[in-house]
Amino acid sequence: MKNKIALLVYPEFSLQEVSNLMYLFRWYYNTMTDIIYTDKEIVRSEEGVTVMPVKTCDEFSTEDYDCLILPGCSDTRMALRNVKLNAFLRRFKDNCTFVIGAICSGPLFLQQAGLLEGKNYTDSLFVEMRELFPFIDDSRFLAMPVVEDGNIITANGSAFNDFAAHIARKL
């Protein structure tokens, strides 16, 4: 292990959905978490906590990290419109070995970037929200707490402990 995980953040990201995961990796595997964003600017979570990214998406390299984690987000509009964020995620489209985890609404960004094509997944989106986005493939959605398909692990927002355990087992 490289003893580093990357947490991709965006405005209104859900810190509470990934806190247990970061705790698990820090105290059980001596693995630290780096905050990644499209720019080196302060990002506020949905809980009001501000974080400062240590790397931009352009500076990110899979060789430095064990996995990439996408938290949920209470207001997805800004992240969905972020062209740099989408371009960053599209870089992983043909990578079937690097572990990517997304929880709650995080899988929405993977869908937008094409990373869930042909993969089973889960999320916490309402059916009405899924119908708004033509890039979402409902046929692969599984109403389960956590779904693992190849190198991608997705979870609904209330399965944050199971999500952390699945990521740890995968690594």
Side-chain angles (χ1 to χ4, degrees), residues 26-167:
R26 172 62 180 104
W27 297 110
Y28 288 87
Y29 302 107
N30 196 32
T31 297
M32 302 300 284
T33 302
D34 277 357
I35 305 295
I36 311 297
Y37 184 51
T38 55
D39 300 293
K40 283 189 182 168
E41 60 185 39
I42 292 174
V43 181
R44 184 179 305 276
S45 74
E46 67 184 20
E47 298 86 1
V49 176
T50 57
V51 297
M52 176 61 84
V54 296
K55 284 188 181 178
T56 66
C57 293
D58 290 336
E59 297 168 328
F60 180 88
S61 172
T62 57
E63 286 78 36
D64 297 334
Y65 296 96
D66 294 310
C67 66
L68 176 68
I69 303 297
L70 284 76
C73 180
S74 60
D75 184 349
T76 60
R77 293 175 297 177
M78 286 177 50
L80 284 170
R81 291 182 193 128
N82 187 328
V83 176
K84 289 181 187 178
L85 182 69
N86 186 263
F88 169 68
L89 290 172
R90 280 196 317 261
R91 289 180 11 200
F92 297 95
K93 189 155 172 43
D94 296 323
N95 186 331
C96 57
T97 58
F98 186 70
V99 175
I100 298 173
I103 188 168
C104 194
S105 61
L108 178 64
F109 308 122
L110 297 181
Q111 287 270 17
Q112 184 186 35
L115 274 67
L116 294 181
E117 286 177 13
K119 292 192 178 276
N120 293 322
Y121 70 95
T122 193
D123 58 37
S124 293
L125 301 178
F126 293 114
V127 173
E128 296 83 6
M129 189 169 181
R130 267 197 212 93
E131 292 171 351
L132 293 175
F133 301 107
F135 54 79
I136 292 180
D137 179 8
D138 256 347
S139 70
R140 302 304 295 248
F141 175 79
L142 301 176
M144 298 173 59
V146 180
V147 174
E148 194 171 325
D149 193 332
N151 63 315
I152 296 182
I153 299 169
T154 55
N156 68 45
S158 61
F160 49 87
N161 285 328
D162 289 338
F163 178 62
H166 275 260
I167 297 287

